[in-house]
Amino acid sequence: MKIGNIDFGDKPAFLAPMEDVTDIGFRKMCKRFGAAMVYTEFVSADAIIRSIKSTLAKMTIDDDERPVGIQIYGRDVESMVSAAKIVESVHPDVIDLNFGCPVKKVAGKGAGAGMLRNIPLMLDITRAVVDAVHTPVTVKTRLGWDMNNLIITELAPKLQDCGIQALTIHGRTRSQMYTGNADWTLIGEVKRNPNIHIPIIGNGDVTDYATAKHNFDAYGVDAIMIGRATFGRPWVFRELRNGGDSGLTIDDKIDVLEEMLHINVERIDEYRGILHTRRHLAASPIFKGIPNFRQTRIKMLRADKLDDVIAILEQCRTLLKEAEQNPEE
């Protein structure tokens, strides 16, 4: 599979762009474990144009994480074109247009998945951005606004005609947000369309090797994109590549979480670095092996000192190894 001149090989797995999740430290960690491409947190076109410091910081990329995409969202042609030109100056490998974010503060203002209610404008933006930059442009969107407006099979060829070089489809509507199950049948229908020649990337509910393999086999997508299943689990990309086996011990996984914590504390500061890592610590599936983990989880989420968080993780390490040695208990 290729996007522009980038060859990702057969059946690659990408890290989805996620706000407050896919910072540079986490992206590099996912890359280490085999993510074929990573994306920054999605960034507002208006904020890019206004040179908002926190937004520009999200666009910092490192050669160690390439290939990397920067995803932008907005609600008019002029701002999206201007933002794309600024983004191009950072030299990402891909510029991705977000027409899929369902949250109210984005979609409610007509951006992100809100564009699914204004297809002519979506196409105008896409065409204009493609014409304005030399970097490969891709799009990420959903099946439609709601179950009465499942438009992706008609929309995909139109987006392709605008000149995009890949299309990522999340198997839900905007109205579903992240509830229910992702429906990949229409993603497969888009891929099977003989007039579609750009790569189709499937997204939604890919959680492990089994679901990834099924979606590749059943729907024929060129790549998959993984979002929430990466929380506290950057080694999921190695699991996908190795038939479900990460090759990591409990010690290795705790070490990875502690490294992520240290990276964010050093990158930002102690308090905010801990806040930024909490989502991963709270969601990591490795702690399911600890009996009555709820109270420990609460302490983990309340801790605001690095030494305290490390002490809790070390306690978890001990408990997990004890549970591993005494599975019958």
Side-chain angles (χ1 to χ4, degrees), residues 8 10 16 38 83 88 96-97 153 160 166 221 229 234 244 279 292 294 303:
F8 295 99
D10 187 44
V38 297
E88 187 168 47
D96 192 65
L97 307 183
T153 54
Q160 177 179 265
V221 292
R279 182 192 301 264
N292 305 312
R294 184 171 179 273

Side-chain angles (χ1 to χ4, degrees), residues 8-223:
F8 295 99
D10 187 44
K11 298 180 179 179
F14 297 167
L15 171 67
M18 293 175 284
E19 187 176 22
D20 295 328
V21 176
T22 54
D23 58 75
I24 190 168
F26 185 61
R27 297 195 306 266
K28 290 172 77 170
M29 192 71 70
C30 290
K31 176 66 68 172
R32 178 195 300 177
F33 287 111
M37 183 154 71
V38 297
Y39 291 79
T40 66
E41 303 172 64
F42 63 83
V43 287
S44 160
D46 290 337
I48 293 171
I49 295 166
R50 300 201 316 271
S51 298
I52 302 300
K53 186 177 180 181
S54 59
T55 296
L56 298 181
K58 292 179 180 180
M59 293 164 48
T60 301
I61 58 178
D62 190 300
D63 284 343
D64 290 343
E65 59 177 317
R66 292 187 184 278
V68 58
I70 295 179
Q71 187 187 72
I72 61 175
Y73 69 92
R75 54 183 177 177
D76 64 80
V77 173
E78 184 178 358
S79 66
M80 288 289 276
V81 167
S82 297
K85 290 179 178 178
I86 295 169
V87 166
E88 187 168 47
S89 69
V90 182
H91 306 298
D93 298 284
V94 165
I95 296 174
D96 192 65
L97 307 183
N98 181 325
F99 299 139
C101 178
V103 300
K104 187 175 181 179
K105 70 177 183 179
V106 175
K109 296 179 179 178
M115 283 289 167
L116 289 164
R117 304 184 87 175
N118 191 345
I119 299 305
L121 178 56
M122 179 195 290
L123 298 177
D124 285 345
I125 288 173
T126 305
R127 194 177 299 110
V129 171
V130 168
D131 290 343
V133 298
H134 299 288
T135 305
V137 176
T138 60
V139 162
K140 186 171 189 283
T141 190
R142 291 184 167 230
L143 303 179
W145 179 259
D146 56 32
M147 296 305 289
N148 295 319
N149 294 277
L150 299 173
I151 62 171
I152 191 61
T153 54
E154 296 82 21
L155 175 60
K158 295 176 182 177
L159 288 168
Q160 177 179 265
D161 290 344
C162 291
I164 64 171
Q165 298 195 35
L167 174 63
T168 300
I169 305 170
H170 184 109
R172 290 182 173 86
T173 64
R174 188 275 170 176
S175 63
Q176 285 180 278
M177 300 292 285
Y178 296 101
T179 63
N181 298 318
D183 181 358
W184 282 61
T185 55
L186 291 180
I187 301 176
E189 191 172 325
V190 170
K191 178 58 190 173
R192 288 191 297 271
N193 183 338
N195 296 316
I196 292 290
H197 55 78
I198 59 173
I200 300 300
I201 304 160
N203 176 224
D205 295 350
V206 178
T207 57
D208 53 25
Y209 172 76
T211 54
K213 184 178 187 305
H214 170 76
N215 289 344
F216 273 124
D217 293 346
Y219 305 108
V221 292
D222 298 285

Side-chain angles (χ1 to χ4, degrees), residues 217-243:
D217 293 346
Y219 305 108
V221 292
D222 298 285
I224 56 170
M225 184 176 283
I226 309 176
R228 290 172 292 168
T230 65
F231 291 1
R233 188 188 172 200
W235 52 79
V236 66
F237 294 100
R238 184 180 289 179
E239 292 175 359
L240 299 186
R241 192 174 55 193
N242 294 343

